[in-house]
Amino acid sequence: MQLYPTLMLSNIVKHYLIIRHEQEVFANYRLFSDGNPGLVFHFKDPFLQESDRHSSSVQPHSFLYGQMTHFNDIRSVGKLDMLIVVLQPHALRALLNLSASELNNTVVPLRTVFGQEGDDIENRVLSSANRAEAIKAIEQMLISRVNRFQQADRLIDCAIDLIYHANGMIAVSDITKELPVTERQLERKFKEQIGIGPKKFMDVIKFQHFLKSMQKFPLDVKLSQVIYACGYYDQAHLNNCFKRHVGVTPMQYRNNTHLLAINLMQVL
């Protein structure tokens, strides 16, 4: 279930995602980038985070994650009850006043990044009577931090808007024609405020657009009807993108009936 933030936070929070199963779930999942960082609160059993094929660690009950440049494997080992705060691409810079690239591919306990404030918000959220109360507590904390640290960069906001409007099918040169910025400056600003360069960000948004477009069509519709409209040259081009982003084939993703989110799928 998706819920949307108060208007005051719409430039920081994209949406809230609630994932819950009444029964215990023991399954492997694959998480890949949707272009957004976020905060996670586990009300029940946290996922196991796979470090490599031979080791794993338990995720914290609350944590922040940055941009992902590769997919990650995680495992549920009990009851799923999660609240995910999906942040806007540039939100980490606004909330933490540091370079977003420092948090790429990281899972960091809230107490580590927010100090005592992190402990306080974890306790308030996990002890809340319902999800509305939990979200209210989160929003109070986020508004406080934005008021302290946010330094609006209208140029980055405009660049992101152009990329989303084009569904990722835009060139860096098109952005530099529209905005008063060089390609080198844009690269530096994106890595500092979003965590990844503009080309990588465009690639992620384009891929997400394809996944959303694919979900609109019934299973008996051929993928070729979607491929070209989403900016991919042919099936081989699409297959390479799937291998890079998800590690599975397009049909394996399309036939998967156990998606917790568009970028969180069960794998065998």
Side-chain angles (χ1 to χ4, degrees):
M1 175 173 37
Q2 282 189 11
L3 300 172
Y4 292 93
T6 180
L7 185 61
M8 188 182 298
L9 278 173
S10 60
N11 193 44
I12 295 296
V13 177
K14 194 166 189 178
H15 59 257
Y16 302 98
L17 181 62
I18 297 172
I19 298 175
R20 181 185 295 168
H21 283 290
E22 294 300 326
Q23 297 180 337
E24 291 187 335
V25 178
F26 297 88
N28 297 315
Y29 291 93
R30 180 157 293 169
L31 177 67
F32 55 95
S33 178
D34 61 357
N36 305 294
L39 310 176
V40 174
F41 296 87
H42 284 291
F43 292 86
K44 295 289 177 64
D45 301 309
F47 283 119
L48 287 183
Q49 183 91 31
E50 301 293 335
S51 303
D52 53 47
R53 291 184 178 181
H54 305 290
S55 63
S56 60
S57 58
V58 180
Q59 289 184 342
H61 274 278
S62 70
F63 63 88
L64 176 150
Y65 64 91
Q67 291 283 355
M68 290 179 286
T69 61
H70 53 76
F71 59 79
N72 290 282
D73 289 327
I74 52 182
R75 183 155 41 101
S76 61
V77 291
K79 292 185 178 180
L80 287 178
D81 192 353
M82 306 166 61
L83 172 58
I84 304 173
V85 186
V86 181
L87 298 171
Q88 297 287 3
H90 64 280
L92 293 185
R93 174 69 171 174
L95 294 172
L96 299 171
N97 198 31
L98 52 71
S99 176
S101 62
E102 293 181 27
L103 294 169
N104 286 358
N105 302 309
T106 59
V107 168
V108 187
L110 291 192
R111 69 179 68 89
T112 301
V113 288
F114 295 143
Q116 184 60 48
E117 194 174 16
D119 276 332
D120 292 343
I121 193 61
E122 177 180 297
N123 292 332
R124 289 182 64 191
V125 169
L126 297 185
S127 64
S128 59
N130 51 57
R131 296 302 171 265
E133 183 179 302
I135 289 173
K136 182 178 179 180
I138 292 168
E139 293 199 330
Q140 289 173 346
M141 184 270 289
L142 293 179
I143 289 171
S144 171
R145 295 197 70 85
V146 168
N147 289 340
R148 275 181 275 166
F149 297 128
Q150 185 176 28
Q151 299 175 351
D153 190 330
R154 183 59 185 158
L155 189 146
I156 285 296
D157 288 346
C158 290
I160 291 173
D161 286 344
L162 288 171
I163 292 169
Y164 275 122
H165 183 72
N167 294 315
M169 292 176 280
I170 187 172
V172 172
S173 59
D174 294 326
I175 294 178
T176 57
K177 289 176 184 177
E178 293 283 337
L179 302 175
V181 65
T182 67
E183 185 169 337
R184 185 175 181 180
Q185 290 170 333
L186 191 67
E187 180 79 16
R188 177 180 58 80
K189 283 178 173 289
F190 260 71
K191 287 186 176 179
E192 183 178 78
Q193 299 186 40
I194 297 178
I196 54 178
K199 291 181 181 178
K200 176 66 176 177
F201 184 72
M202 293 169 190
D203 184 44
V204 171
I205 300 309
K206 177 180 172 181
F207 186 70
Q208 288 292 310
H209 173 62
F210 176 83
L211 296 182
K212 293 172 184 175
S213 299
M214 185 171 60
Q215 288 185 341
K216 297 176 183 178
F217 290 87
L219 289 176
D220 58 353
V221 174
K222 293 183 178 179
L223 282 177
S224 59
Q225 297 184 33
V226 191
I227 290 174
Y228 299 113
C230 293
Y232 295 101
Y233 306 127
D234 51 30
Q235 184 73 52
H237 184 201
L238 179 68
N239 290 345
N240 287 334
C241 288
F242 259 85
K243 183 177 181 180
R244 183 172 69 253
H245 285 281
V246 196
V248 300
T249 68
M251 290 309 298
Q252 285 175 319
Y253 179 89
R254 194 183 197 195
N255 293 330
N256 194 300
T257 57
H258 300 285
L259 295 177
L260 295 185
I262 195 168
N263 64 324
L264 180 56
M265 61 178 287
Q266 186 173 328
V267 292
L268 298 177

